[in-house]
Structures are given as C-alpha cells and as structure tokens.
Amino acid sequence: MSGGKKVKSEKAPVRGSLNATISVSSLKISVTSDDPVRALPELRKLVEAVGSLENDAMLYEDMLGFELKEKLSSEVVENQEIMAIIKNTLNVEEDYLVTKGVLDVIDELDFEKRNKEAVVDQDQLRSCVESIFSSVEVPAVRSAIVHVKGPIGKSQRLMILDTINRRLNYPKLRVMNTDARQEDKVLIEAILFGDFQYERQE
C-alpha cells in the first residue's frame, strides 16, 4: 500500500470481539468492538474516508473484502463472478445490506407418479420473506442478488424468487442457486444495494 498507510486486524482477546488499527503517515486509529459484524460497516466507512484522503483504493478494497467474508455465506464468497458483481455494484451504489432467512423443506408424495418432491410451505415462505425484509427501506432498494440454497427444484426456486421480487417491488435482480440435496432446509440470502438511511439490526 502507498502513503505509509496500513490496516491491521489484531487477534481478538475474546471470542466475538474485534481489534483493528488504521495507520496513516502521521496518525494511528485504534478500533475495538464486541460486535464485529455490526461494527464492520462503520469501520469500512472510516477506512473509505481515510483511503480517499490518501488516494489509496487498496485500503478500501481490503476492508470491503474482509467485511463481505464476515457477512456472506461461504458459497457466495467462493463464487468469483458473484463477488465481482457485488464489488462492482458498490462502486456506484451508496451502500448494501445482507439479510437471510431459513425455510423448512417438506417431502411431498405423489402416489400416481410414485415419487416425492422437496417443497416449501407457501405460508411459511410469505412469513419468512416478510420477516427478512421487515426492516428494509424497500423504496431505497435499486438492485439485489438473491442466493437460494437447498434441496428444492426449479419450480420451488421460481416461487421463492417471485415472492421476493413482489415484496421488493421488482428491483433489478440477479439470482444464485446452490443445490444442497442432503439438507432439509432452504437458505434465502439477499444482498440489497441502494441508498439506505439506516441498517437492519441483525
């Protein structure tokens, strides 16, 4: 990094804590938090401000990457295409939110076809979607990435996405699917981009 500026994440003295130091040529800022997930967005904004003063984009990039790894599932983090889309979107958007929900999977038997299909309950789906977006400023959402992970088929995934699309008033939407045949739950993970006035309390 240029300009003699460094960001150092120190080993936390207790589980669930965060110690970080931002060093500039003539200034050192120490940050401590007992809630790293909620502290990371504020730390990133501080780093962004320092980075703009020092004209060092690498500082912001490092912090953003660290923050995303803390908030997102491993499937999203390991998907280079999706991560590139997230970072490119944040070059033009004001901010982002991550919200998640989990659905139970039901085995629906078809005696005529002699098979079974993994499905989700529609009432539970509506309740889950309402819950995960209840504290989101929907008018501020300009685009979103939705990750659906579970043992369900195409028709069930489309039903989930349609429910989310209607709840968010049809923003620009990208979809990531992960097949997980051995699991009995469906994970819904939404990354929302926009100009948010407040953050959802996780």
Side-chain angles (χ1 to χ4, degrees):
M1 296 182 187
S2 62
K5 175 171 66 291
K6 298 179 181 178
V7 174
K8 179 173 65 174
S9 293
E10 302 169 1
K11 186 176 180 181
V14 294
R15 185 178 181 181
S17 63
L18 170 70
N19 291 334
T21 302
I22 303 173
S23 298
V24 193
S25 55
S26 59
L27 178 67
K28 179 180 289 187
I29 303 172
S30 296
V31 180
T32 303
S33 174
D34 293 328
D35 192 345
V37 172
R38 293 180 63 181
L40 280 170
E42 297 303 320
L43 182 57
R44 173 172 57 85
K45 291 174 184 177
L46 176 61
V47 168
E48 182 180 10
V50 174
S52 64
L53 291 174
E54 292 282 316
N55 193 27
D56 189 348
M58 289 182 64
L59 179 62
Y60 174 77
E61 185 73 15
D62 289 346
M63 278 304 306
L64 178 60
F66 179 70
E67 180 184 329
L68 290 172
K69 288 179 181 179
E70 289 293 310
K71 289 192 170 188
L72 299 174
S73 65
S74 59
E75 290 83 7
V76 173
V77 171
E78 292 168 6
N79 188 310
Q80 295 183 3
E81 180 182 356
I82 293 295
M83 290 296 287
I85 291 171
I86 292 173
K87 292 179 179 180
N88 288 337
T89 303
L90 285 174
N91 286 331
V92 295
E93 288 291 2
E94 293 291 331
D95 211 343
Y96 78 102
L97 298 174
V98 176
T99 184
K100 302 176 184 179
V102 176
L103 295 168
D104 294 321
V105 173
I106 304 168
D107 285 333
E108 189 174 79
L109 301 177
D110 188 328
F111 292 102
E112 291 185 0
K113 296 181 180 180
R114 296 184 178 181
N115 63 11
K116 65 179 181 179
E117 180 184 6
V119 301
V120 296
D121 180 79
Q122 293 188 30
D123 290 336
Q124 187 189 27
L125 170 60
R126 285 191 290 268
S127 177
C128 177
V129 169
E130 184 61 36
S131 175
I132 63 178
F133 297 126
S134 62
S135 298
V136 171
E137 295 174 277
V138 171
V141 178
R142 289 192 283 261
S143 63
I145 297 173
V146 176
H147 172 217
V148 179
K149 175 186 176 182
I152 54 175
K154 182 178 179 180
S155 63
Q156 293 293 297
R157 293 176 185 273
L158 289 175
M159 181 177 70
I160 291 172
L161 294 172
D162 181 62
T163 304
I164 292 173
N165 229 341
R166 285 186 279 109
R167 178 63 179 84
L168 294 179
N169 199 24
Y170 301 95
K172 181 180 179 182
L173 192 67
R174 292 180 182 269
V175 180
M176 174 183 168
N177 286 305
T178 300
D179 191 13
R181 293 292 172 183
Q182 304 304 316
E183 298 188 10
D184 60 355
K185 303 284 185 182
V186 171
L187 168 68
I188 299 174
E189 180 177 24
I191 305 104
L192 312 175
F193 303 96
D195 185 8
F196 302 109
Q197 298 302 311
Y198 62 90
E199 293 194 6
R200 180 179 184 272
Q201 299 299 311
E202 298 180 354

